Amino acid sequence: MSSFIELLGLFLLLMLPFLYETNHIFRYYFKFLIYYGIVSFNSIVLIPAFLTRPCDVRNLLWASTWCHRVTALIGLRWELRGKEHLAKDQACIIVANHQSSLDVLGMFNIWHVMNKCTVVAKRELFYAWPFGLAAWLAGLIFIDRVRGEKARETLNEVNRRIKKQRIKLWVFPEGTRRNTGELHPFKKGAFHMAIEEQIPILPVVFSSYCTFLNDKKKILNAGRIVITTLPPVSTEGLTKDDIEPLMERVRSQMIETFKLTSAEALELRYNPLKSSALSSTSSSSAGASALEGDPQPVSEIDDTVESGSTSCAPLHVGAAAAASASYETYKSSATAAKASMIKTL
């Protein structure tokens, strides 16, 4: 009986590479299993250390030191732009677009730049132990979105503390994560907090995940994500009457940056040689160009670039979209679910 179990185990072990290379659904769940598994394991290991200084936001630096290594294992690459804004020692409200739980992995990769930073999260995450307990001990702010008054009291208390201790507070103003290739309407909470304590808003934009992630089709390919930190937006002298225009101003800036970096990521996916010049130019001027103009044009690309590659999975962004001259055409291609073959790990 034991020999049969050993043979079965060996067979399953030998099948793993085959399934990984040929089945995109298996590959999707396997990568997320690695991601969640390592984060959960690190949570267990780090809880005793967190207990030495409970609810201290500096604990998140310890967590990021270990958890960011998942990036290489699942084939993602993060590029940070506007580092100087994120590294500044100041209290601020960071507002970022929310596409997937992979956003947290991106945050782990830049936490050493932010230094003292915590996150507003929904209360349900606290009960996802061991991660929830470790996150609470690391200073995450859990709010009850159903009980609005209680949530506001919690945020008001946090708001005073972050200004006094010069902590950055990370908020996803869209609320729910959605990988749809666009930014959704913002909620007002983060902007209320910024105006209340007269601290700046710091917009952070993750480029679209549509070039490598499709949750409906269970596809997670290798991918490159650009994280752009825009210049801080001052709230000095603003009142609650200015919340709507402030929110729209910040969202407009983030949308332009999202279009620019997403179109660039798509270009790089299909034609890395032609897009190298675009990437180097954008690295030095992403913030300014995103605030002032339209996305840079994307060069025409041969649709057959990756048609002969193995280990491919059809994704909802086609190679034809990369030949477009604007992000809008790329977005419409994603919406229409035009499949192509995109090389994976």
Side-chain angles (χ1 to χ4, degrees), residues 217 219 221 270 303 306-307 312-321 337-343:
K217 293 185 178 181
I219 296 171
N221 293 334
Y270 287 99
D303 287 351
E306 293 181 304
S307 60
C312 298
L315 198 62
H316 58 186
V317 175
K338 295 180 179 178
S340 71
M341 301 304 286
I342 295 182
K343 188 177 180 180

Side-chain angles (χ1 to χ4, degrees), residues 154-277:
T154 302
L155 292 177
N156 288 336
E157 181 181 343
V158 169
N159 213 18
R160 291 187 289 270
R161 182 164 67 92
I162 65 172
K163 184 175 183 180
K164 181 179 179 180
Q165 300 179 9
R166 303 169 74 91
I167 296 172
K168 299 176 179 70
L169 180 65
W170 188 295
V171 180
F172 293 110
E174 293 170 291
T176 305
R177 61 177 184 262
R178 302 173 201 163
N179 182 28
T180 59
E182 60 186 352
L183 267 68
H184 294 268
F186 286 177
K187 300 182 185 300
K188 298 178 181 179
F191 302 90
H192 268 288
M193 295 174 68
I195 289 177
E196 182 72 25
E197 293 296 330
Q198 297 288 283
I199 55 180
I201 295 282
L202 191 64
V204 173
V205 184
F206 289 73
S207 61
S208 176
Y209 293 175
C210 287
T211 56
F212 64 89
L213 176 66
N214 187 332
D215 290 308
K216 290 183 179 180
K217 293 185 178 181
K218 308 304 177 189
I219 296 171
L220 176 54
N221 293 334
R224 169 182 174 268
I225 307 96
V226 178
I227 305 175
T228 307
T229 306
L230 300 177
V233 179
S234 175
T235 60
E236 290 186 13
L238 299 183
T239 66
K240 292 182 179 180
D241 294 333
D242 300 307
I243 288 178
E244 286 285 353
L246 174 65
M247 186 167 60
E248 287 306 313
R249 175 187 170 195
V250 171
R251 184 169 179 269
S252 296
Q253 293 177 0
M254 293 176 67
I255 288 174
E256 288 305 309
T257 303
F258 181 79
K259 291 178 180 180
L260 174 68
T261 55
S262 298
E264 178 190 330
L266 186 65
E267 166 77 1
L268 188 64
R269 158 68 75 176
Y270 287 99
N271 200 338
L273 294 179
K274 285 186 179 182
S275 63
S276 59

Side-chain angles (χ1 to χ4, degrees), residues 90-154:
Q90 65 174 356
C92 64
I93 306 293
I94 297 175
V95 293
N97 56 317
H98 198 16
Q99 302 176 81
S100 165
S101 60
L102 294 174
D103 296 339
V104 179
L105 184 55
M107 293 166 66
F108 282 141
N109 278 263
I110 63 174
W111 224 296
H112 66 284
V113 178
M114 299 186 289
N115 194 15
K116 291 189 298 182
C117 178
T118 188
V119 184
V120 173
K122 58 184 180 181
R123 189 183 64 170
E124 290 80 1
L125 282 178
F126 173 75
Y127 301 104
W129 285 27
F131 172 78
L133 176 59
W136 178 74
L137 290 171
L140 256 70
I141 311 301
F142 294 100
I143 60 171
D144 187 346
R145 295 188 295 183
V146 177
R147 300 171 61 187
E149 188 61 35
K150 179 65 175 178
R152 280 190 291 272
E153 290 176 5
T154 302

